[in-house]
Amino acid sequence: MNQEQFDKVKNGKGFIAALDQSGGSTPKALLAYGVQEDAYSSEDEMFDLVHEMRTRIITSPSFNSDQILGAILFEQTMDREIEGKYTSEYLADKGIVPFLKVDKGLADEKDGVQLMKPIPELDKLLERANERGVFGTKMRSNILEPNENGIKEVVDQQFEVGKQILAAGLMPIIEPEVNVYSDNKEKSEQILKEEIEKHLDQLTDDQQVMLKLSIPTNANEYKSLIEHPKVLRVVALSGGYSRDEANEKLKKNDGLIASFSRALASDLNVNQSDEEFDRKLKEAVDTIYDASVNKE
C-alpha cells in the first residue's frame, strides 16, 4: 500500500469525491448533467458520454488535491484514459488518491436490507486495480429497516469481502448505507454501529478499514467508530440530501468528512462554458470542503 497515499487519507484535510455511478444509475447521472437519453443509442455511447463528464470534472482546476483527498471511480473509468494516462494514474499524479467501486449492485430486499450481489472474479479485478495504482475500493449495501438479522448479514458480508480486499493489498471502504428516508433510521444506525464494532474488534493487528456511512440522525453517533484504531477514516455519503442540507448535517459530526456524489455534481451541466463549469464546481468543492473540516 502506498504510504504517502495512506498518510494523506488518514491525516489529510478535505473530502473524497464519489465519481462512481454505474449501470442503472448512469442514465440518471447523465440526465442530471443535461444529457438526454436520446443523445446516445447504445451502452458504449452512454459510457463514452459519462467518461467525458468525469474527464471534465477531474481535469478542472477546481478539482484539486488541496481540498480533495481521493476520488472513487467506476471500473470502466479506471480502465479508460485521461490525457494519455489511465484515470487512476492521472488522479495520483494530480495528488488525489484513487479508489475503485467493486460491487456489482444490490440484491433484492430481504429482512429489511439489500445485500450486495455476488462479485464474480473479484480477485482479477483487484489485481487490475493494483496494476493501475489504485489505493482502495468501495462497496455498497443498503439498509431500509432496523432489522437486526438483516443488518448483521450486511455487515458480515461487507467484512468478509473487505478481508479479501485487504489480502490483495488494497484498502476497503465498507459502505453499509442506511437509507436516509427510511423509518426508524436512528434505530438502524444504533444496530449498525454495534455490528461494525464487533467486526472491527476482530481484525488483526495489521488490518484497518475505512467506513462510508450515511450522516447519522444524532450528531456524533459514530464518534466511537471514527476513533477506533482499526478505522483509517470515516466518510459520509450525501444519500439524496441536497448539498446545502448534507453540508449542514455533516458539520455537526466531528471527524466525519464527505464522500459526496450527486451533491458534488448537482450544479454542473454539459452546456456550461468551461469558465461557468469550473466556477460551479469550485462552489461545490469549497462548501463540501468547509463542511468536512470546519465543524460546529
Side-chain angles (χ1 to χ4, degrees):
M1 203 173 288
N2 183 305
Q3 190 61 44
E4 185 181 345
Q5 292 179 340
F6 183 94
D7 293 339
K8 184 179 181 77
V9 173
K10 180 182 175 70
N11 302 312
K13 285 190 171 184
F15 67 95
I16 293 176
L19 306 176
D20 59 329
Q21 300 97 335
S22 60
S25 62
T26 303
K28 293 178 187 174
L30 284 172
L31 197 58
Y33 183 53
V35 177
Q36 304 297 320
E37 290 194 33
D38 60 6
Y40 50 91
S41 56
S42 68
E43 192 174 79
D44 286 345
E45 288 180 7
M46 177 183 75
F47 283 122
D48 286 344
L49 288 167
V50 85
H51 188 64
E52 287 175 18
M53 177 184 76
R54 287 171 182 153
T55 296
R56 196 178 186 194
I57 292 170
I58 290 168
T59 57
S60 169
S62 302
F63 198 83
N64 64 77
S65 61
D66 292 335
Q67 295 171 294
I68 298 167
L69 301 177
I72 305 169
L73 306 174
F74 170 49
E75 182 180 348
Q76 276 211 24
T77 309
M78 176 187 73
D79 288 333
R80 289 180 181 237
E81 294 184 354
I82 294 177
E83 297 179 3
K85 300 176 183 176
Y86 284 116
T87 307
S88 48
E89 294 171 353
Y90 184 93
L91 284 167
D93 287 348
K94 201 170 179 176
I96 296 171
V97 180
F99 292 84
L100 173 68
K101 167 189 159 73
V102 296
D103 71 79
K104 300 299 182 184
L106 299 170
D108 292 338
E109 181 184 346
K110 182 186 176 187
D111 291 336
V113 302
Q114 289 177 282
L115 296 171
M116 295 182 290
K117 290 179 179 176
I119 311 173
E121 300 187 331
L122 176 59
D123 284 334
K124 288 184 180 178
L125 178 58
L126 298 177
E127 185 179 340
R128 205 161 78 249
N130 272 312
E131 290 170 358
R132 301 276 190 269
V134 167
F135 173 77
T137 66
K138 189 211 83 158
M139 51 194 176
R140 172 178 170 262
S141 312
N142 191 28
I143 297 170
L144 299 158
E145 297 174 12
N147 182 304
E148 291 186 11
N149 290 333
I151 294 172
K152 180 181 184 302
E153 271 198 88
V154 161
V155 180
D156 286 350
Q157 184 191 42
Q158 283 276 348
F159 274 85
E160 181 184 357
V161 180
K163 288 175 182 176
Q164 187 178 351
I165 291 160
L166 283 168
L170 295 163
M171 173 60 63
I173 300 179
I174 286 169
E175 184 185 9
E177 175 181 346
V178 177
N179 188 290
V180 298
Y181 300 114
S182 60
D183 293 332
N184 297 312
K185 175 174 174 279
E186 179 181 349
K187 180 64 175 172
S188 292
E189 289 162 349
Q190 291 167 352
I191 298 168
L192 176 63
K193 182 174 73 170
E194 291 173 6
E195 289 298 326
I196 290 174
E197 285 174 340
K198 289 177 190 175
H199 281 272
L200 291 174
D201 291 341
Q202 293 170 10
L203 294 178
T204 60
D205 290 345
D206 61 341
Q207 291 178 323
Q208 273 189 309
V209 299
M210 293 176 64
L211 301 172
K212 182 167 179 174
L213 305 171
S214 307
I215 304 171
T217 303
N218 295 325
N220 292 315
E221 176 71 35
Y222 296 134
K223 188 174 176 63
S224 63
L225 299 179
I226 291 167
E227 295 175 347
H228 199 288
K230 295 299 179 186
V231 176
L232 181 65
R233 203 82 192 246
V234 182
V235 302
L237 55 104
S238 51
Y241 292 134
S242 69
R243 183 166 66 246
D244 287 346
E245 191 174 4
N247 284 339
E248 183 184 341
K249 291 177 182 295
L250 184 65
K251 282 184 180 182
K252 297 173 182 175
N253 290 270
D254 299 332
L256 190 63
I257 66 171
S259 178
F260 293 172
S261 175
R262 279 168 291 182
L264 172 65
S266 57
D267 292 341
L268 305 180
N269 190 280
V270 66
N271 297 313
Q272 289 166 339
S273 67
D274 288 344
E275 183 182 9
E276 174 74 356
F277 181 93
D278 293 341
R279 186 177 68 79
K280 288 291 187 182
L281 182 57
K282 180 170 173 46
E283 286 175 7
V285 169
D286 284 349
T287 60
I288 296 169
Y289 174 84
D290 179 68
S292 295
V293 303
N294 296 315
K295 301 299 184 179
E296 293 181 357

